[in-house]
Amino acid sequence: HIAEDTSDLLQHVKFQSSNFENILTWDGRPESAPDAVYSVQYKTYGEGEWLEKEGCQRITRKSCNLTVETGNLTELYYARVTATDGTGRSATKTTDRFNSLQHTIIKPPDVTCIPKVRSIQMIVHPSYTPIRARNGHQLTLENIFQGLLYRLKLRINHTYQMDLEGKQREFEFVGLTPDTEFLGTIMICIPNLFKESAPYVCQVKTLPDRTWT
Amino acid sequence: QEFQFGPCRVEGVVLQKLWQAFWAVKDIVQAQDNITSVQLLRKEVLQNVPETESCHLIHALLRFYVNTVFKSYRDKAVEFGILKSFSILANNFFVIVSKLQASQEKMFSTRKTARRRFLLFHRAFKQLDREAAVTKAFGEMDILLSWMEKFYQL
């Protein structure tokens, strides 16, 4: 009996996680199986039973939100997808072992840049995650990662740049020239886990100095 | 940068280096472990460990990793082309065990409960086929590093 090759039905089954939103995604070749449907199961590593993900049974889209099911930061998880086409051919593929604390990508922070005459203030807003504490409160990235800090840069000109870094959420670049354009970038860094967000970028112009007019 | 396992202090080991070494090989190693229904380092082994017991427990676990897991896994590490990461982990674990050796010998009171936790791990290890158990233990190093991180001070 020669096993039928069904690899075209299903590829790249993996978790894509950012700020602890954990989405299972996969690919399948539409031209070879236009009528394929997909069913998702998941399990905690170390347990025997695979559980069906409600809302992701016999679906046609190629993604499934498993944020709630994989939300325990200390657990490791697997998920698997079964693809079935119109002729009854099927294929099942499993993800790598997944832990959101290790795998999640950090999104850029949300920042308000406030220009003044000789300074620019930057206020970083908390990054909320879908993770909830026992008391139901939504956790921020700062709550989850003790070592989290913010790294700010202000480009003055082609050769000169100012840097600030810290755990607080309010920063101010001072000693700037009035009525001048500056480019600011702000990143979230978690040094002990080698995590760094893409930068939030803000382009601001200091206010004109009207003291002598 | 040091570990502080209760009364036991270990300097000179950079935890981030261990994480980096493991992450470089994690998917290769864990893909070899098909027994997804067994976790050796499960909650009962590592959760809510009192500080006073942490030194005994980590010493027993790391000594087992050095004397059994790394010793048995080395050929596979060569086979999979991951010897560099493997060596970083093995050498650093050996350093930690050596430094823990002196201090944990002085403490007898908490040995029994820490021992019980280690035996839970060891019994689960013994219940598996030897090669599968070694592969699983090596693949669970992220669980161990996550626990060790709680005792690490930058």
Side-chain angles (χ1 to χ4, degrees):
Chain A
H1 165 71
I2 299 171
E4 192 178 5
D5 175 19
T6 56
S7 61
D8 61 309
L9 279 177
L10 194 54
Q11 289 117 23
H12 314 133
V13 178
K14 61 179 182 235
F15 278 100
Q16 311 230 32
S17 177
S18 59
N19 283 17
F20 296 99
E21 189 164 19
N22 309 328
I23 310 296
L24 181 69
T25 63
W26 57 89
D27 295 323
R29 251 185 235 122
E31 59 282 3
S32 63
D35 48 8
V37 290
Y38 306 96
S39 296
V40 171
Q41 293 178 304
Y42 63 95
K43 75 183 292 195
T44 302
Y45 172 54
E47 290 182 13
E49 201 186 357
W50 285 93
L51 303 171
E52 287 192 346
K53 163 62 181 169
E54 214 177 302
C56 294
Q57 299 303 309
R58 301 186 65 77
I59 56 175
T60 52
R61 67 177 187 276
K62 296 185 177 70
S63 70
C64 174
N65 191 322
L66 286 172
T67 298
V68 172
E69 290 77 10
T70 56
N72 184 325
L73 300 183
T74 61
E75 293 286 5
L76 298 128
Y77 297 95
Y78 285 95
R80 68 184 180 190
V81 180
T82 300
T84 312
D85 74 2
T87 68
R89 287 191 315 148
S90 77
T92 298
K93 288 221 168 97
T94 303
T95 64
D96 288 332
R97 199 177 297 171
F98 171 78
N99 167 259
S100 52
L101 207 56
Q102 289 181 51
H103 292 98
T104 207
I105 289 166
I106 305 301
K107 291 182 188 171
D110 179 22
V111 183
T112 302
C113 297
I114 306 167
K116 299 180 181 176
V117 177
R118 292 182 184 285
S119 69
I120 294 172
Q121 192 182 12
M122 294 186 181
I123 300 172
V124 185
H125 304 289
S127 301
Y128 282 96
T129 73
I131 307 287
R132 290 183 181 275
R134 283 206 183 90
N135 57 16
H137 277 127
Q138 223 173 330
L139 297 182
T140 64
L141 291 178
E142 286 168 354
N143 301 138
I144 295 170
F145 296 114
Q146 307 302 311
L148 183 147
L149 53 90
Y150 301 101
R151 218 163 263 155
L152 300 86
K153 297 181 194 304
L154 190 73
R155 179 157 298 287
I156 308 299
N157 52 42
H158 288 298
T159 52
Y160 183 45
Q161 166 182 302
M162 294 170 82
D163 295 287
L164 290 174
E165 179 178 305
K167 291 184 167 218
Q168 74 274 21
R169 277 214 238 101
E170 292 198 14
F171 300 84
E172 189 156 10
F173 289 99
V174 297
L176 304 178
T177 309
D179 201 18
T180 305
E181 194 103 351
F182 294 95
L183 184 73
T185 62
I186 306 97
M187 291 196 295
I188 296 174
C189 302
I190 303 157
N192 58 313
L193 287 177
F194 300 96
K195 290 184 188 290
E196 192 170 89
S197 73
Y200 174 92
V201 179
C202 67
Q203 187 116 19
V204 281
K205 191 171 188 178
T206 47
L207 305 180
D209 185 356
R210 301 194 191 285
T211 46
W212 304 111
T213 50
Chain B
Q1 291 175 336
E2 63 177 28
F3 287 105
Q4 189 77 53
F5 298 106
C8 306
R9 204 152 65 100
V10 176
E11 291 174 316
V13 174
V14 182
L15 183 57
Q16 282 85 355
K17 286 225 168 87
L18 306 192
W19 270 118
Q20 254 180 333
F22 183 74
W23 274 332
V25 301
K26 169 187 169 316
D27 288 341
I28 295 171
V29 172
Q30 292 180 348
Q32 307 307 317
D33 177 6
N34 301 316
I35 309 169
T36 60
S37 55
V38 173
Q39 180 173 329
L40 300 178
L41 289 167
R42 56 184 202 269
K43 289 195 193 70
E44 295 80 1
V45 178
L46 292 179
Q47 214 165 46
N48 306 322
V49 176
E51 284 243 349
T52 51
E53 282 181 36
S54 59
C55 187
H56 272 298
L57 182 55
I58 193 64
H59 184 253
L61 286 169
L62 295 197
R63 196 174 46 188
F64 183 83
Y65 266 79
V66 169
N67 297 336
T68 304
V69 177
F70 287 126
K71 199 165 282 183
S72 311
Y73 196 79
R74 191 177 189 289
D75 293 346
K76 272 212 185 290
V78 173
E79 178 192 332
F80 294 141
I82 59 171
L83 197 54
K84 188 181 171 211
S85 287
F86 172 88
S87 303
I88 290 169
L89 292 160
N91 295 337
N92 276 278
F93 272 33
F94 181 79
V95 164
I96 297 172
V97 169
S98 318
K99 293 190 173 189
L100 284 173
Q101 187 69 35
S103 40
Q104 65 92 29
E105 270 164 3
K106 286 177 271 174
M107 295 179 308
F108 297 97
S109 60
T110 59
R111 181 171 289 201
K112 202 189 288 178
T113 36
R115 184 93 195 126
R116 201 178 306 136
R117 288 175 182 272
F118 171 75
L119 290 177
L120 279 176
F121 162 82
H122 194 240
R123 215 170 290 132
F125 184 93
K126 288 281 187 187
Q127 281 165 1
L128 296 177
D129 154 78
R130 170 74 177 201
E131 188 175 336
V134 166
T135 296
K136 182 175 279 296
F138 193 84
E140 288 191 1
M141 232 183 288
D142 50 358
I143 300 173
L144 192 51
L145 292 176
S146 295
W147 185 72
M148 291 167 70
E149 192 152 22
K150 295 176 193 167
F151 301 90
Y152 191 66
Q153 283 136 26
L154 285 170

